[in-house]
């Protein structure tokens, strides 16, 4: 009967629609980044390997948001395996995204700290090993709910993200805060080294001041974007639990997912080499105003 069918349909939460749309945007952006890196043989430096790993993690995060919507409204989400699979993908993907951002920050710091020996010491093999370590760690974090660290049997231990336990959520949130603190310290050291290098090698002092100030502004934007996206959710995960209004959870989760929307813009699309590849793929030409200067270890 039509009336019965209408009542049986689960009402769709607008917040879930917003997360699904965000996931679709994330997937499209990062799929484009992965395609450019994969089909451009010259983009194989350690920096591009880390950018590619970040794009893969964000792509999985976007797909995880879409799957979560599908599992919630189109598939019987009462099946425990479906729920745990969805949560595991999201935890692994977003954790990998955060750790890959940290790895890129470390890479930038090392390229400045060891400017003369960076390109000889920093091998592609070492970069791949670091990426593998990141993914093994994050997949392990995603498997914790599947291996029993969940609140399916005891709802009183649930965090703001069902079925993740409160203890698990606190561990993830504290880990993020530590990562953010380490990033702030590294970027502070990067600024100090950049200013020192600029003072040592710049011939035109006016150019030095402008370029260095621009680099510091860029780092400030990166840190602010990362903090604004993730800090509200991390702090709320520590102080709140499943008894809190769900709207607050959505209001902090959505900005956190938006970080994966911003990441391709900050770390990929701003890169001159990737811009060149995008222009060549789209129209077969490169604009004359596009800077084709190769990035050096002194670039912030």
């Amino acid at each position: 009967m039509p009336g019965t069918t209408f009542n049986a349909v689960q009402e769709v939460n607008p917040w879930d629609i917003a997360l699904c749309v965000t996931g679709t945007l994330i997937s499209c952006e990062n799929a484009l980044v992965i395609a450019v890196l994969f089909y451009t043989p010259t983009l194989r430096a350690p920096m591009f390997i880390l950018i590619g790993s970040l794009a893969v993690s964000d792509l999985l995060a976007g797909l995880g948001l879409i799957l979560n919507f599908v599992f919630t409204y189109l598939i019987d989400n009462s099946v425990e395996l479906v729920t745990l699979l969805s949560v595991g993908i999201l935890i692994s993907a977003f954790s990998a995204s955060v750790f890959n951002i940290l790895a890129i920050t470390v890479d930038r710091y090392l390229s400045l700290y060891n400017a003369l020996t960076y390109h000889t010491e920093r091998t592609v093999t070492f970069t791949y090993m670091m990426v593998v370590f990141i993914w093994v760690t994050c997949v392990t974090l995603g498997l914790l709910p599947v291996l029993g660290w969940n609140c399916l049997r005891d709802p009183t231990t649930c965090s703001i993200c069902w079925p993740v336990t409160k203890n698990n959520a606190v561990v993830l949130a504290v880990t993020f805060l530590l990562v953010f603190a380490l990033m702030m310290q590294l970027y502070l050291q990067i600024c100090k080294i950049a200013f020192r290098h600029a003072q040592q090698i710049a011939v035109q002092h006016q150019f030095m001041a402008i370029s260095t100030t621009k680099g510091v502004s860029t780092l400030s934007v990166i840190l602010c974007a990362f903090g604004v996206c993730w800090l509200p959710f991390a702090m709320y995960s520590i102080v709140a639990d499943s008894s809190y209004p769900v709207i607050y959870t959505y209001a902090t989760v959505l900005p956190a997912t938006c970080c994966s929307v911003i990441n391709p813009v900050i770390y990929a699309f701003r890169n001159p080499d990737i811009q060149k590849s995008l222009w060549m793929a789209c129209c077969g030409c490169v604009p004359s105003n596009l800077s084709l200067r190769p990035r050096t270890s002194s670039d912030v």
Side-chain angles (χ1 to χ4, degrees):
M1 297 293 291
T4 304
T5 303
F6 177 80
N7 292 331
V9 175
Q10 183 178 356
E11 183 179 356
V12 179
N13 190 324
W15 287 97
D16 288 327
I17 296 177
L19 288 173
C20 184
V21 171
T22 303
T24 304
L25 180 59
I26 292 171
S27 301
C28 294
E29 280 186 309
N30 289 282
L32 178 60
V33 175
I34 293 171
V36 169
L37 294 176
F38 183 79
Y39 288 106
T40 308
T42 57
L43 303 181
R44 295 293 184 270
M47 173 179 60
F48 295 112
I49 294 174
L50 294 175
I51 292 176
S53 179
L54 174 62
V56 170
S57 62
D58 285 334
L59 173 62
L60 290 179
L63 295 176
L65 292 173
I66 298 173
L67 288 176
N68 185 65
F69 183 87
V70 172
F71 289 159
T72 301
Y73 295 102
L74 302 180
I75 299 178
D76 185 8
N77 62 354
S78 62
V79 179
E80 293 184 1
L81 180 60
V82 171
T83 301
L84 294 175
L85 176 63
S86 175
V87 171
I89 292 175
L90 289 173
I91 291 177
S92 297
F94 281 112
S95 298
S97 179
V98 170
F99 280 110
N100 275 302
I101 292 175
L102 175 62
I104 292 175
T105 307
V106 172
D107 178 78
R108 289 179 173 179
Y109 170 74
L110 292 177
S111 69
L112 285 170
Y113 184 77
N114 299 320
L116 298 178
T117 58
Y118 169 79
H119 295 287
T120 57
E121 293 180 353
R122 181 107 173 135
T123 62
V124 174
T125 302
F126 176 78
T127 304
Y128 276 119
M129 291 175 59
M130 183 167 59
V131 170
V132 169
F133 175 77
I134 289 174
W135 279 101
V136 169
T137 302
C138 294
V139 169
T140 302
L141 292 175
L143 287 175
L144 290 179
V146 180
L147 297 177
W149 204 3
N150 59 67
C151 60
L152 292 175
R153 298 292 181 269
D154 187 7
T156 59
T157 62
C158 283
S159 67
I160 58 175
C161 295
W162 186 84
V164 178
T165 63
K166 174 68 175 180
N167 291 336
N168 193 356
V170 169
V171 169
L172 293 174
V174 171
T175 301
F176 163 79
L177 293 177
L178 293 175
V179 169
F180 184 67
L182 181 57
M183 285 180 58
M184 291 184 62
Q185 179 63 27
L186 287 173
Y187 274 129
L188 179 61
Q189 296 301 319
I190 288 174
C191 290
K192 291 181 179 179
I193 296 173
F195 274 112
R196 186 169 64 248
H197 284 187
Q199 292 172 353
Q200 292 174 352
I201 66 176
V203 177
Q204 299 178 351
H205 296 282
Q206 183 179 3
F207 174 76
M208 176 201 70
I210 294 175
S211 60
T212 306
T213 302
K214 181 180 178 181
V216 173
S217 299
T218 301
L219 297 183
S220 300
V221 171
I222 293 174
L223 270 180
C224 287
F226 187 70
V228 168
C229 289
W230 276 107
L231 279 177
F233 179 67
M235 299 301 296
Y236 188 66
S237 298
I238 295 175
V239 302
D241 55 34
S242 58
S243 64
Y244 282 61
V246 69
I247 188 173
Y248 296 147
T249 300
Y250 279 115
T252 54
V253 166
L254 186 58
T257 60
C258 288
C259 186
S260 295
V261 178
I262 301 173
N263 285 340
V265 178
I266 293 178
Y267 297 101
F269 297 145
R270 289 177 57 253
N271 185 283
D273 298 312
I274 294 179
Q275 289 179 13
K276 177 184 176 182
S277 298
L278 282 173
W279 278 102
M280 291 296 296
C282 293
C283 61
C285 61
V286 180
S288 58
N289 61 345
L290 179 62
S291 174
L292 298 181
R293 178 183 62 84
R295 295 178 66 87
T296 65
S297 60
S298 60
D299 288 335
V300 180

